[in-house]
C-alpha cells in the first residue's frame, strides 16, 4: 500500500461558474509560480564556522521546493479560500502575493492596494505599552501619525483594551495581542485583504468579531479577500471560490463549498491514486444520477454519556425493557462484558460515570422503571453509584458486578461462570485482547445478539484454568479469538479440546475491522429495516460507543468503523457498504468523530 500523499491535479466541471467569472476583472494573477529554498545540510553555530566552510567550498545546501508551478486567477469581489495541510506552501504563496517574498520563477500581478494579515503582532515591541505599539505597528504598516491619531479610538474600541492601554505588551495574553494587531491592520479599507489563519486566534467572541469585520469589508466595500485556513467549515461559509494546495502543488480549484467537501475527504490522506479517484468521483457525481435518497441521521449528545443515552432512546423507542445494564465509562472493557449479559436479558446498555448518574440516563430509567439494574464495574470504582441506584423511587433490584482483587482476565471468567449458572449463554465464547479497542467494539453487536460471553486477556495471561472449566462444564462449541497477541491462549485450547476456533487477526490492519464487521453482518438475521451504525476509527471515540453494540444488536444490524487517514482503507469500507446496499435502508452517524465531508461520502456511496 502506498503511504504517500497524492499531489496530481484534479478537476471540477465548472463551465457555468467560469462563464460568470470571465465578466469580472482579475485583481490577482498567479502565473507559473514556483518557490525554492536552500536548506543547510548541517548546523553551523557561528559566523566564523560559516565563513570557513564557505571559503573551503564545504558549504552544502539541500534545495526544498515549497511551491511548484502554481497558476490561477482571483477575480474582483471574490472571497477566495486556500486550503492545504501543514507545510503545503499556503503561507509562502500569500507572502509572494503580498510582496514579502520574490518567487524563484513565475510572476504575480496584483491590481490594487493590499492589507496583509499574515503574521499578527509582527513588529510589536513587548517592552512598550499598547498605546506606543499601536503607533509603532501602524508605522510599520505604512500609516502616518495623523492617520493613527484619527483612528486611534476605533482601534482601541475594537480591540477592547481601553483599561490596559498603558500596560507593557509583555503582560498581555496572546489573544489580546492578536486583537490589537487585527484592529490596526483592518482600520483601512484596502482593495485586497489577505488573511492567514487570523480567524483561528483569540477567543471565539474575538473570532466572531473578526469575521463580522471581514464581512463588512466584503458586503459594504467590495473588498477582494484571500483567506488561508485549516477550518473547512469557515472556508465554505465565507468564501465563494477556493483552491487546494498539497505539498506545493495545486490540486484543485473551484466552488468553495464543493472544494471543501472534497478536501475534507481527501486532504492529507495517504493511499493509491485509484482509491483517491474513486472517492473523488463519488463526491462529484451529479445528484440526478443517484437513486432516491436513503435517510441518514446523526446522534450527538452534549457528552459521550448523553450520546449513549440518545442511542438507547433510538433503539428502544418502540420497545419496553424490564432490566437495564449500566456500564461504567472508565474503560471499554465494561461495554464488552455488559453486552452479552444485556443481550441474554433483552436489556439496553447505558453508559454511566462511576460516581454520577447522568440526568438523561436517570430520566430514561425513571420512564422505563426497570425492576432490575445490573452495574458492570471492572475498575471497582462505582460503589457510590450502586448506592445511588438503590435509592431510586421504585426500589429496583441492584446487582453490582465489580472486579475484586483479581485480574481482568479472572474477573471476566468469573462473570462467565456466574452467567452460565444462570443459563444466559449460548454455546460459544469470545476471547478478546484488551489492546484491540476498535475490533472488540465492532464485535459487540454479535456479542449482544448471540449472548456470547467474553474473556478479556493480556498477552501475558497464562492461567487458562477458568476458561478451561467453562468449556468442560458448560459445553462451549466455538471460540471467537480477536487479535493475534493472544494466540498462545488459542493454541492451548485448540490442543486440548475438540472445538471450533474462529480467528480474527489484527496483523493486517486494513482487513481486520472489515472482516469483523462482515462476520457480524452475516451472522445477524436480516430484518425488514436495517440501519447501519457508523463510527470513526479513532481511539478517542469509544466512550460514545458503549451503548452502540446493544443498540445495533437489538436492531439486528452492525457497526461500521470508518477509517480516518488511509484512502485504501476508506475504499474498502465504502465497498463493504456497496456490497450490502440492498440491505441498508438508512445510516446512523454516532458522535462527532466523522466530518461532514466523510458523512457526505458515505451517503453518496449508499445512494449510488
Amino acid at each position: 500500500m502506498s503511504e504517500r500523499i497524492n499531489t496530481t491535479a484534479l478537476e471540477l466541471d465548472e463551465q457555468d461558474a467560469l462563464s460568470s467569472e470571465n465578466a469580472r476583472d482579475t485583481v490577482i494573477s498567479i502565473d507559473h509560480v514556483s518557490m525554492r529554498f536552500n536548506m543547510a545540510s548541517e548546523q553551523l553555530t557561528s559566523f566564523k564556522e560559516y565563513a570557513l566552510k564557505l571559503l573551503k567550498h564545504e558549504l552544502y545546501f539541500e534545495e526544498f521546493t515549497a511551491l511548484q508551478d502554481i497558476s490561477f486567477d482571483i477575480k474582483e469581489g471574490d472571497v477566495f479560500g486556500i486550503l492545504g495541510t501543514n507545510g503545503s506552501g499556503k503561507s509562502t504563496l500569500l507572502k509572494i502575493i503580498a510582496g514579502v517574498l520574490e518567487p524563484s520563477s513565475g510572476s504575480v500581478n496584483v491590481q490594487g492596494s493590499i492589507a496583509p494579515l499574515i503574521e499578527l503582532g509582527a513588529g510589536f515591541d513587548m517592552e512598550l505599552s499598547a498605546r506606543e505599539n499601536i503607533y509603532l505597528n501602524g508605522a510599520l504598516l505604512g500609516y502616518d501619525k495623523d492617520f493613527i491619531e484619527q483612528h486611534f479610538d476605533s482601534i482601541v474600541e475594537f480591540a477592547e483594551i481601553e483599561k490596559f492601554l498603558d500596560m507593557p505588551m509583555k503582560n498581555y495574553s496572546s489573544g489580546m495581542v492578536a486583537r490589537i494587531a487585527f484592529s490596526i491592520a483592518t482600520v483601512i479599507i484596502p482593495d485586497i485583504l489577505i488573511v492567514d489563519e487570523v480567524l483561528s486566534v483569540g477567543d471565539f467572541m474575538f473570532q466572531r468579531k473578526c469575521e463580522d469585520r471581514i464581512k463588512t469589508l466584503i458586503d459594504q466595500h467590495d473588498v477582494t479577500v484571500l483567506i488561508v485556513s485549516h477550518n473547512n467549515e469557515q472556508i465554505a461559509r465565507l468564501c465563494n471560490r477556493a483552491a487546494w494546495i498539497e505539498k506545493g502543488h495545486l490540486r484543485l480549484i473551484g466552488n468553495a463549498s464543493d472544494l471543501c467537501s472534497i478536501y475534507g475527504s481527501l486532504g492529507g490522506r495517504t493511499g493509491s491514486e485509484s482509491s483517491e479517484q474513486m472517492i473523488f468521483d463519488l463526491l462529484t457525481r451529479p445528484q440526478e444520477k443517484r437513486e432516491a435518497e436513503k435517510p441518514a441521521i446523526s446522534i450527538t449528545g452534549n457528552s459521550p454519556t448523553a450520546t449513549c443515552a440518545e442511542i438507547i432512546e433510538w433503539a428502544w423507542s418502540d420497545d419496553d425493557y424490564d432490566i437495564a445494564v449500566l456500564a461504567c465509562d472508565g474503560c471499554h472493557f465494561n461495554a464488552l462484558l455488559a453486552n452479552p449479559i444485556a443481550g441474554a436479558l433483552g436489556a439496553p446498555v447505558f453508559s454511566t460515570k462511576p460516581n454520577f448518574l447522568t440526568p438523561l440516563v436517570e430520566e430514561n430509567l425513571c420512564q422505563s422503571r426497570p425492576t432490575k439494574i445490573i452495574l458492570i464495574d471492572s475498575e471497582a470504582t462505582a460503589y457510590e453509584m450502586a448506592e445511588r441506584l438503590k435509592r431510586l423511587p421504585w426500589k429496583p433490584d441492584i446487582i453490582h458486578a465489580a472486579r475484586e482483587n483479581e485480574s481482568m482476565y479472572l474477573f471476566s471468567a468469573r462473570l462467565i461462570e456466574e452467567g452460565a449458572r444462570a443459563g444466559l449463554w449460548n454455546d460459544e465464547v469470545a476471547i478478546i485482547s484488551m489492546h484491540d479497542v476498535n475490533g472488540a467494539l465492532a464485535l459487540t453487536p454479535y456479542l449482544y445478539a448471540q449472548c456470547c460471553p467474553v474473556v478479556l486477556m493480556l498477552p501475558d495471561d497464562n492461567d487458562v484454568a477458568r476458561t478451561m472449566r467453562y468449556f468442560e462444564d458448560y459445553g462451549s462449541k466455538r471460540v471467537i479469538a480477536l487479535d493475534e497477541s493472544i494466540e498462545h491462549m488459542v493454541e492451548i485450547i485448540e490442543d486440548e479440546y475438540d472445538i471450533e476456533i474462529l480467528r480474527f487477526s489484527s496483523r493486517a490492519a486494513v482487513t481486520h475491522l472489515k472482516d469483523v464487521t462482515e462476520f457480524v453482518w452475516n451472522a445477524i438475521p436480516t430484518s425488514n429495516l436495517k440501519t447501519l451504525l457508523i463510527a470513526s476509527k479513532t481511539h478517542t471515540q469509544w466512550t460514545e460507543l458503549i451503548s452502540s453494540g446493544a443498540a445495533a444488536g437489538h436492531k439486528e444490524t452492525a457497526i461500521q468503523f470508518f477509517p480516518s487517514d488511509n484512502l485504501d482503507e476508506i475504499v474498502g469500507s465504502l465497498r463493504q457498504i456497496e456490497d450490502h446496499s440492498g440491505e441498508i435502508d438508512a445510516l446512523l452517524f454516532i458522535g462527532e468523530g466523522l466530518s461532514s465531508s466523510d458523512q457526505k461520502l458515505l451517503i453518496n456511496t449508499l445512494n449510488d
Side-chain angles (χ1 to χ4, degrees):
M1 180 194 303
S2 171
E3 290 299 324
R4 68 182 180 83
I5 296 176
N6 298 319
T7 56
T8 54
L10 299 167
E11 187 174 347
L12 286 170
D13 182 10
E14 287 195 305
Q15 293 305 315
D16 293 339
L18 289 175
S19 61
S20 63
E21 271 196 33
N22 290 334
R24 292 184 285 128
D25 293 335
T26 298
V27 293
I28 301 175
S29 179
I30 302 164
D31 185 24
H32 298 286
V33 165
S34 294
M35 188 70 195
R36 293 176 289 276
F37 296 100
N38 287 329
M39 299 188 302
S41 58
E42 56 183 309
Q43 186 174 0
L44 303 176
T45 59
S46 68
F47 178 75
K48 178 181 178 181
E49 188 177 357
Y50 172 84
L52 289 173
K53 290 278 188 181
L54 184 63
L55 291 172
K56 294 178 180 180
H57 303 287
E58 294 177 355
L59 193 61
Y60 301 103
F61 294 95
E62 180 181 347
E63 188 174 79
F64 170 71
T65 301
L67 295 171
Q68 180 66 48
D69 197 27
I70 303 292
S71 295
F72 61 86
D73 293 337
I74 298 175
K75 300 291 184 176
E76 184 179 15
D78 272 343
V79 185
F80 197 96
I82 298 181
L83 290 163
T85 53
N86 288 331
S88 288
K90 306 182 299 298
S91 296
T92 299
L93 181 60
L94 291 195
K95 289 175 182 178
I96 291 173
I97 294 171
V100 176
L101 294 176
E102 188 75 22
S104 302
S105 61
S107 63
V108 173
N109 184 29
V110 178
Q111 301 295 324
S113 61
I114 294 181
L117 302 182
I118 295 177
E119 293 181 9
L120 286 185
F124 281 149
D125 186 330
M126 305 310 287
E127 296 296 327
L128 300 179
S129 67
R131 184 188 303 275
E132 292 165 326
N133 268 295
I134 289 174
Y135 285 95
L136 173 62
N137 196 253
L140 292 173
L141 291 174
Y143 309 152
D144 58 33
K145 184 179 179 181
D146 290 341
F147 180 87
I148 294 297
E149 288 179 346
Q150 181 183 351
H151 295 87
F152 185 86
D153 290 342
S154 62
I155 292 172
V156 172
E157 181 182 359
F158 182 87
E160 300 175 5
I161 57 165
E162 293 90 340
K163 297 179 180 179
F164 313 102
L165 263 177
D166 296 305
M167 179 188 294
M169 289 280 282
K170 64 182 179 181
N171 296 328
Y172 277 40
S173 68
S174 58
M176 291 176 69
V177 172
R179 286 173 179 266
I180 299 170
F182 185 91
S183 183
I184 297 170
T186 57
V187 72
I188 63 167
I189 300 173
D191 296 315
I192 302 166
L193 178 65
I194 297 180
V195 182
D196 185 9
E197 290 294 349
V198 170
L199 302 184
S200 64
V201 299
D203 56 48
F204 77 96
M205 292 298 294
F206 172 64
Q207 292 175 27
R208 186 178 299 173
K209 284 185 72 172
C210 290
E211 280 198 24
D212 289 343
R213 173 160 284 194
I214 289 173
K215 286 179 180 177
T216 300
L217 293 173
I218 295 167
D219 297 339
Q220 298 182 12
H221 304 286
D222 294 325
V223 173
T224 301
V225 181
L226 184 55
I227 300 175
V228 161
S229 177
H230 287 290
N231 189 326
N232 250 17
E233 294 181 0
Q234 194 174 69
I235 293 292
R237 183 174 66 252
L238 293 176
C239 302
N240 66 307
R241 302 280 291 163
W244 168 20
I245 296 176
E246 193 70 70
K247 305 307 178 189
H249 295 76
L250 180 62
R251 299 225 60 202
L252 189 64
I253 187 167
N255 173 272
S257 178
D258 294 339
L259 189 140
C260 286
S261 177
I262 294 165
Y263 175 75
S265 289
L266 297 179
R269 284 171 165 166
T270 61
S272 65
E273 290 189 15
S274 60
S275 292
E276 184 184 69
Q277 189 62 48
M278 175 185 168
I279 294 171
F280 181 77
D281 292 343
L282 274 170
L283 290 170
T284 56
R285 187 173 179 182
Q287 180 69 34
E288 59 270 16
K289 293 185 179 180
R290 299 195 182 104
E291 300 175 3
E293 288 281 336
K294 294 182 178 181
I297 60 174
S298 179
I299 292 181
T300 304
N302 56 18
S303 69
T305 305
T307 297
C308 289
E310 292 184 18
I311 289 170
I312 292 300
E313 285 188 349
W314 166 79
W316 268 265
S317 59
D318 299 322
D319 300 312
D320 297 324
Y321 52 88
D322 191 48
I323 299 174
V325 178
L326 272 61
C328 295
D329 68 356
C331 64
H332 72 287
F333 309 142
N334 291 318
L336 302 181
L337 298 171
N339 270 282
I341 296 172
L345 301 172
V349 175
F350 287 98
S351 170
T352 183
K353 299 292 181 185
N355 56 1
F356 176 68
L357 190 60
T358 305
L360 187 55
V361 175
E362 185 169 9
E363 180 183 340
N364 286 348
L365 293 175
C366 289
Q367 288 177 354
S368 58
R369 301 175 73 87
T371 59
K372 181 183 293 185
I373 297 176
I374 301 171
L375 176 62
I376 306 298
D377 178 20
S378 66
E379 296 175 300
T381 56
Y383 290 96
E384 289 185 15
M385 170 62 70
E387 293 301 315
R388 170 73 182 87
L389 293 171
K390 290 176 183 177
R391 294 194 296 271
L392 290 171
W394 64 97
K395 302 299 181 183
D397 181 21
I398 306 301
I399 298 175
H400 183 197
R403 181 160 64 99
E404 299 170 358
N405 188 20
E406 58 193 340
S407 68
M408 192 70 72
Y409 164 68
L410 291 178
F411 174 55
S412 60
R414 176 162 62 85
L415 291 184
I416 287 180
E417 291 181 351
E418 293 175 1
R421 284 194 291 270
L424 299 183
W425 316 134
N426 289 328
D427 57 358
E428 61 186 347
V429 64
I431 303 178
I432 297 178
S433 166
M434 290 162 62
H435 296 312
D436 187 5
V437 178
N438 287 331
L441 290 172
L443 189 63
T444 49
Y446 182 86
L447 302 178
Y448 183 95
Q450 300 299 320
C451 311
C452 176
V454 172
V455 174
L456 293 171
M457 295 193 67
L458 287 170
D460 57 355
D461 284 327
N462 292 309
D463 182 2
V464 298
R466 292 279 183 130
T467 306
M468 296 297 103
R469 191 180 311 150
Y470 172 74
F471 296 142
E472 290 175 340
D473 295 346
Y474 306 108
S476 180
K477 297 178 181 177
R478 182 163 75 166
V479 171
I480 300 172
L482 208 63
D483 197 280
E484 83 285 346
S485 68
I486 55 174
E487 184 66 21
H488 67 287
M489 173 70 159
V490 177
E491 290 175 353
I492 293 173
I493 297 170
E494 196 169 33
D495 290 342
E496 297 191 20
Y497 292 86
D498 181 18
I499 192 168
E500 180 186 355
I501 307 290
L502 181 60
R503 289 179 172 86
F504 292 99
S505 172
S506 61
R507 288 174 186 164
V510 174
T511 60
H512 175 53
L513 276 174
K514 181 176 181 292
D515 291 342
V516 174
T517 305
E518 191 69 26
F519 166 74
V520 172
W521 195 273
N522 293 331
I524 295 177
T526 302
S527 61
N528 293 327
L529 174 65
K530 191 179 290 291
T531 299
L532 181 63
L533 278 62
I534 307 287
S536 65
K537 183 187 168 185
T538 60
H539 289 294
T540 58
Q541 202 193 354
W542 69 263
T543 52
E544 295 180 309
L545 303 176
I546 290 175
S547 301
S548 297
H554 183 69
K555 285 291 190 178
E556 297 185 339
T557 186
I559 302 173
Q560 177 90 39
F561 280 84
F562 193 73
S564 59
D565 57 4
N566 186 279
L567 298 172
D568 300 311
E569 286 189 55
I570 290 171
V571 166
S573 183
L574 297 177
R575 283 179 174 158
Q576 193 170 24
I577 291 176
E578 284 182 337
D579 291 342
H580 293 283
S581 60
E583 306 164 54
I584 303 171
D585 289 335
L587 297 177
L588 189 155
F589 301 115
I590 303 171
E592 298 179 340
L594 289 171
S595 68
S596 57
S597 298
D598 286 338
Q599 290 185 20
K600 177 181 177 182
L601 178 61
L602 287 156
I603 293 169
N604 288 0
T605 300
L606 180 62
N607 288 307
D608 279 346

